[in-house]
Amino acid sequence: YGMDRRDFEAVEARAQRNIAAKGGEAAGFQRLGELLKKLEWQKLFFYGVAYDDPFSGNDGLGPWVEAERASARLITEDINVREPIVRAAVHFNLKPGQMLLWSPEKNLDEPSFDFSASENLAAAEVLLPMPVRVSARDNDNIMGYTGNFAVPVKLSVKDVNKPLEVKAAVKANVCGENSCAPQAFDLRLELSPGGDTLKSAVGSFIAKTYSSLPQDELDNLKIVKAVVDQPYDGCKNETLRIVLKSDDAPEKFNIFLKSLDGGNFDRPKITIDGELITARFCSRDENASLSGRKYEVMAGVSVGRSLRQTVTARPASLWDYERGELSLGLLVMAFFGGLILNFMPVSYTHLT
């Protein structure tokens, strides 16, 4: 447990003699020794916080780009290119009191990411994490992120034997103190091919960010149906009803809807009945037909328990008793209920 470098050198030398005596290769241990020599033991508990990582340095970390209300940079899990897919992210750091927001109803565009100027990059897939919903006095949908967070990006490399130069033009609306302002960032990051199989200083941060993304499927949370109801209950236009089933009655639930064919909706009205969760989205577009349109649904009960699926809206069945209007199913049940009552024996008390 000593802090003297000579103690570590003595341990290294003894281990190398033991390996040589057994006829083994000392190359692996020599490599470990080279890495250990980079350490300054007094800084051991502060690497990655107050000091740069002694092994990876700033590899895999793009420079911070400052804007009025936030800063951003590109980061990667590995320090070099070794596989066709590189796990990367756009790392945001918002100033105190600021939020990155978007809202179709407020004319706040969703954050955009343009990687077209990159070199040796075949494609970039942006994976938005589960956002938070911002409370508003009206029924507008306002969502976004706060604080220090990362938006994962899967980078597809054309040739793993060549350097990868990533260039991203990022635009987002950052709001605070009753005002919003567009922020623009021109981000850069270069990765060399091959080299050591080392994680960057933020490798664990990126891994955690990817693990918390909404999943394509979950065993304990499923979308049962996505159907269109006629106007009712204060909604003048058609309503999209999303029904989900959870393994248990969740205490918290949130859901976000993105129309892939255009269209705006009010904030959802959510009801939880045991394991069934129903979210109703009232369309803001007059005379719009919601049937047959595709929607991306993000829903979750916690950070690690959320899903993202694309659904196609269908007309509600005539037998669907939740469709918001007098359904055939309700009429049939009422008819047979009255019929049964007619055949039930009735007893009268004697009047005296």
Side-chain angles (χ1 to χ4, degrees):
Y1 297 96
M3 301 300 289
D4 192 336
R5 182 179 293 276
R6 291 175 295 180
D7 294 337
F8 292 94
E9 291 174 350
V11 172
E12 176 188 350
R14 184 170 64 248
Q16 287 185 356
R17 289 195 299 269
N18 291 338
I19 293 174
K22 295 179 180 179
E25 295 291 336
F29 198 86
Q30 287 176 351
R31 175 59 182 150
L32 177 60
E34 292 172 2
L35 294 175
L36 291 175
K37 289 177 181 178
K38 295 182 180 181
L39 292 174
E40 295 182 48
W41 302 99
Q42 295 86 351
K43 301 179 181 179
L44 184 61
F45 299 105
F46 302 97
Y47 283 127
V49 181
Y51 304 102
D52 291 338
D53 190 299
F55 302 143
S56 60
N58 288 324
D59 293 342
L61 309 179
W64 283 105
V65 176
E66 297 284 341
E68 179 186 359
R69 302 189 179 197
S71 56
R73 65 176 177 176
L74 283 170
I75 56 177
T76 56
E77 186 175 21
D78 298 318
I79 66 172
N80 44 41
V81 179
R82 300 183 65 87
E83 301 292 339
I85 300 296
V86 174
R87 298 213 302 182
V90 176
H91 187 190
F92 289 93
N93 187 26
L94 307 184
K95 293 184 178 180
Q98 303 294 316
M99 294 186 69
L100 191 157
L101 300 178
W102 70 92
S103 170
E105 295 77 25
K106 296 291 187 182
N107 292 321
L108 295 174
D109 293 333
E110 187 175 303
S112 64
F113 305 84
D114 183 4
F115 290 85
S116 60
S118 301
E119 303 273 345
N120 194 28
L121 181 67
E125 181 184 6
V126 178
L127 304 169
L128 288 178
M130 187 81 173
V132 296
R133 176 170 276 111
V134 179
S135 298
R137 296 179 180 177
D138 49 26
N139 284 325
D140 289 341
N141 273 303
I142 306 176
M143 60 209 83
Y145 308 106
T146 62
N148 188 303
F149 64 95
V151 175
V153 184
K154 284 187 179 181
L155 304 176
S156 299
V157 183
K158 291 181 180 179
D159 188 345
V160 296
N161 297 312
K162 295 181 179 180
L164 173 64
E165 184 177 358
V166 187
K167 299 178 183 179
V170 179
K171 296 180 181 180
N173 292 289
V174 178
C175 306
E177 300 178 355
N178 299 319
S179 67
C180 294
Q183 309 287 286
F185 309 91
D186 290 321
L187 310 180
R188 301 172 64 96
L189 175 62
E190 294 185 13
L191 296 179
S192 300
D196 295 327
T197 57
L198 291 176
K199 300 296 182 182
S200 70
V202 293
S204 59
F205 171 61
I206 293 180
K208 183 178 179 181
T209 302
Y210 271 81
S211 65
S212 63
L213 284 173
Q215 304 297 308
D216 294 334
E217 291 185 359
L218 288 176
D219 293 334
N220 49 16
L221 183 64
K222 298 181 181 297
I223 296 178
V224 178
K225 57 185 173 181
V227 295
V228 179
D229 292 328
Q230 295 305 308
Y232 84 105
D233 193 20
C235 179
K236 298 179 180 180
N237 305 313
E238 289 186 343
T239 298
L240 180 63
R241 174 161 45 98
I242 309 290
V243 181
L244 304 94
K245 185 176 181 181
S246 174
D247 281 356
D248 49 21
E251 296 181 1
K252 296 181 180 180
F253 175 79
N254 218 335
I255 185 170
F256 301 91
L257 185 70
K258 178 181 179 180
S259 175
L260 302 181
D261 299 324
N264 296 324
F265 295 85
D266 284 345
R267 293 164 60 92
K269 294 182 178 180
I270 301 172
T271 57
I272 300 176
D273 183 10
E275 297 179 347
L276 289 180
I277 306 168
T278 302
R280 290 181 169 88
F281 293 85
C282 176
S283 174
R284 290 193 167 190
D285 303 322
E286 293 186 10
N287 303 320
S289 177
L290 305 183
S291 297
R293 293 188 177 184
K294 294 183 180 296
Y295 302 91
E296 181 185 86
V297 178
M298 271 199 295
V301 294
S302 64
V303 175
R305 188 179 164 194
S306 58
L307 60 81
R308 185 195 335 252
Q309 288 184 7
T310 299
V311 299
T312 301
R314 304 297 183 193
S317 168
L318 293 176
W319 299 92
D320 192 339
Y321 66 91
E322 290 187 345
R323 57 183 290 164
E325 58 183 347
L326 193 60
S327 66
L328 179 61
L330 289 176
L331 290 174
V332 172
M333 286 190 291
F335 172 78
F336 280 104
L339 190 63
I340 293 173
L341 286 175
N342 286 330
F343 286 98
M344 289 180 63
V346 180
S347 61
Y348 298 93
T349 57
H350 292 284
L351 297 177
T352 58

